[in-house]
């Protein structure tokens, strides 16, 4: 038999057996009596055997019906249990969320707030995958991911959580030895470090308040696939880097590095929560998305208030 079993017919048959009535089964299933009769008739034709002996007053199972009824009722019960379990997962937050997050942002910004989330939702577990590589959410079975960039067109569903500023930075010792660039095109004469997962890693694009634009292809001794790995070399005065605020804020505040090209900026990126397309998200994913959105919106407001 190459075709799938007639699950609908088996379930309707099981309901008729349970209630001993086509009319009662039709009423409970919110179907017409004709639809119930056709489903049972379709099943009988497929199996090549009569399942009920019908009279005007009595409905009795045949031998074939007796043999099939227990399995059909088990199938119906399993199907109802599976639906109820799936419904519970979609309505009540419980189960595992597989979340893919860039390495440094995950360590600095996501991991510290997870205890609060796990305390609030004790029936939800989180599998936190940390990597700066672009993860295939669908292919690798992730429920959601955080992306920090200007997102390209994609079939993924994206929710913006907060903005992320980028700064071009250098150590005071580097500036003292090599001078302070005042225009992006001057970066071509400087030692610049590269980050492999920038939207355009080979070209840095800038604009200023006057609407001028500049693009430069920087070069230097170091290229990495994790932005935080650039910081030691920048602090050591070996070159210039362009990095997001969550990586450089502390080093800027401590004076270890300085923001250069203050009149110019790269396009601001953002933290997006992305999920696979298709259907409503399970409650466990929805509550995590809402939690992250609230936390990062609050963190950005506090940052702006503190200057």
């Amino acid at each position: 038999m190459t075709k799938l079993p007639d699950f609908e017919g088996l379930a309707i048959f099981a309901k008729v057996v349970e209630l001993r009535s086509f009319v009662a089964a039709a009423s409970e299933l919110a179907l017409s009596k004709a639809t119930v009769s056709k489903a049972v008739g379709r099943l009988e034709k497929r199996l090549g055997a009569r399942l009920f002996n019908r009279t005007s007053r009595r409905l009795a199972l045949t031998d074939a019906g007796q043999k099939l009824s227990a399995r059909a009722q088990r199938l119906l019960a399993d199907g109802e249990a599976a639906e109820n379990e799936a419904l519970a997962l979609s309505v009540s937050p419980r189960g595992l969320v597989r979340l893919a997050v860039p390495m440094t942002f995950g360590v600095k910004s996501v991991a510290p707030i997870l205890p609060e989330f796990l305390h609030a939702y004790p029936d939800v577990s989180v599998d936190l995958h940390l990597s700066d590589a672009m993860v295939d959410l669908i292919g690798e079975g992730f429920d959601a991911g955080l992306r920090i960039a200007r997102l390209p067109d994609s079939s993924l569903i994206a929710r913006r959580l907060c903005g992320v500023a980028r700064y071009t930075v250098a150590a005071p010792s580097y500036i003292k030895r090599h001078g302070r660039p005042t225009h992006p095109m001057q970066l071509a004469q400087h030692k610049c470090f590269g980050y492999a997962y920038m939207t355009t890693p080979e070209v840095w694009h800038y604009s200023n308040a006057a609407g001028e634009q500049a693009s430069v292809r920087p070069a230097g001794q170091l290229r990495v696939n994790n932005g935080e790995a650039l910081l030691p070399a920048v602090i050591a005065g070996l070159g210039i880097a362009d990095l997001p605020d969550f990586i450089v804020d502390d080093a800027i505040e401590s004076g270890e590095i300085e923001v250069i090209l203050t009149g110019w900026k790269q396009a601001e990126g953002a933290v997006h929560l992305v999920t696979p397309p298709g259907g409503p998200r399970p409650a466990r994913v929805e509550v995590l998305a809402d939690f992250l959105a609230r936390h990062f919106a609050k963190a950005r407001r506090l940052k702006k208030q503190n200057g």
Side-chain angles (χ1 to χ4, degrees), residues 9-24:
L10 287 165
I12 290 175
F13 166 69
K15 188 59 69 173
V16 174
V17 172
E18 177 188 338
L19 300 176
R20 295 291 175 175
S21 166
F22 278 71
V23 174

Side-chain angles (χ1 to χ4, degrees), residues 10 12 18 20 22 53 61 87-88 116 120 149-150 186 217 225 239 251 258 272 287:
L10 287 165
I12 290 175
E18 177 188 338
R20 295 291 175 175
F22 278 71
N53 287 318
L61 287 167
L87 181 62
E116 180 184 345
R150 288 165 288 162
Q186 294 173 358
R217 291 182 175 273
N225 65 358
E258 299 178 18
H272 292 87
V287 294

Side-chain angles (χ1 to χ4, degrees), residues 189-255:
Q189 283 76 53
H190 284 265
K191 299 175 181 179
C192 298
F193 300 144
Y195 173 50
Y197 293 128
M198 284 179 65
T199 306
T200 55
E202 306 298 333
V203 182
W204 296 359
H205 300 282
Y206 292 88
S207 62
N208 64 14
E212 298 174 300
Q213 296 186 344
S215 297
V216 61
R217 291 182 175 273
Q221 294 175 280
L222 183 62
R223 179 184 170 95
V224 302
N225 65 358
N226 173 263
E228 192 175 20
L230 291 177
L231 265 185
V234 176
I235 291 172
L238 299 178
I240 295 171
D242 183 79
L243 292 167
D245 53 13
F246 61 87
I247 290 179
V248 298
D249 275 348
D250 290 343
I252 292 171
E253 186 175 350
S254 68

Side-chain angles (χ1 to χ4, degrees), residues 12-95:
I12 290 175
F13 166 69
K15 188 59 69 173
V16 174
V17 172
E18 177 188 338
L19 300 176
R20 295 291 175 175
S21 166
F22 278 71
V23 174
S27 176
E28 180 158 323
L29 295 172
L31 299 172
S32 68
K33 181 177 180 295
T35 299
V36 172
S37 295
K38 285 179 182 178
V40 173
R42 184 178 70 239
L43 188 61
E44 289 177 327
K45 183 177 180 180
R46 181 186 178 102
L47 299 176
R50 181 180 292 276
L51 300 175
F52 292 105
N53 287 318
R54 306 172 181 88
T55 68
S56 59
R57 297 183 178 181
R58 190 166 179 268
L59 184 67
L61 287 167
T62 64
D63 287 343
Q66 288 280 7
K67 292 176 181 177
L68 183 63
S69 64
R71 287 182 179 272
Q73 288 177 305
R74 210 159 41 238
L75 178 67
L76 176 61
D78 288 344
E80 290 174 339
E83 281 196 352
N84 290 335
E85 183 177 340
L87 181 62
L89 288 174
S90 66
V91 174
S92 177
R94 62 165 58 90

